[in-house]
Amino acid sequence: MDTRKRIIIDFKKLTPELLALLVTTYPDGYDDHHIIKFKNAHNEWIEAVQLETEEARYLVKVSTKLALTMENYDEEDYVGYQANDPDAIQDPEY
């Protein structure tokens, strides 16, 4: 039996490590056959791609911004990144 946590996550909440893993898992991007569709607690359709680590199985919500973030991913952008850094640049839309 798989005892890993199961987590649904929006791409905006991905750590640099998870984003790197996502880019590695889908090096050519994702398409329709990678997408998992399900209804959430509010009976809304959600589309996500699966990402697995030793600790957890993630469903990363799909959006246009996720595709752009993956396309423009540069590991150098995340050198020295620390979660919860109050001085980190934040996206003003969120």
Side-chain angles (χ1 to χ4, degrees):
M1 182 175 180
D2 189 354
T3 59
R4 291 181 285 184
K5 291 186 225 176
R6 296 163 66 140
I7 302 168
I8 299 171
I9 188 169
D10 193 282
F11 91 94
K12 294 174 280 190
K13 307 242 186 219
L14 290 175
T15 64
E17 295 82 14
L18 287 175
L19 181 56
L21 181 60
L22 189 64
V23 171
T24 302
T25 303
Y26 302 100
D28 297 322
Y30 57 86
D31 57 34
D32 289 342
H33 75 273
H34 295 115
I35 295 175
I36 298 167
K37 298 176 184 179
F38 60 95
K39 285 191 175 185
N40 67 9
H42 302 288
N43 209 28
E44 302 165 326
W45 281 104
I46 303 294
E47 295 183 344
V49 291
Q50 188 167 308
L51 185 63
E52 294 187 17
T53 66
E54 289 184 21
E55 299 83 28
R57 296 178 109 179
Y58 295 91
L59 288 178
V60 181
K61 293 180 187 176
V62 171
S63 71
T64 304
K65 287 192 175 191
L66 173 60
L68 289 173
T69 300
M70 288 176 66
E71 287 175 20
N72 297 316
Y73 176 77
D74 183 352
E75 189 173 328
E76 294 296 316
D77 292 342
Y78 297 97
V79 171
Y81 170 85
Q82 294 179 4
N84 301 321
D85 180 354
D87 296 324
I89 297 172
Q90 301 295 318
D91 187 336
E93 291 185 30
Y94 305 106

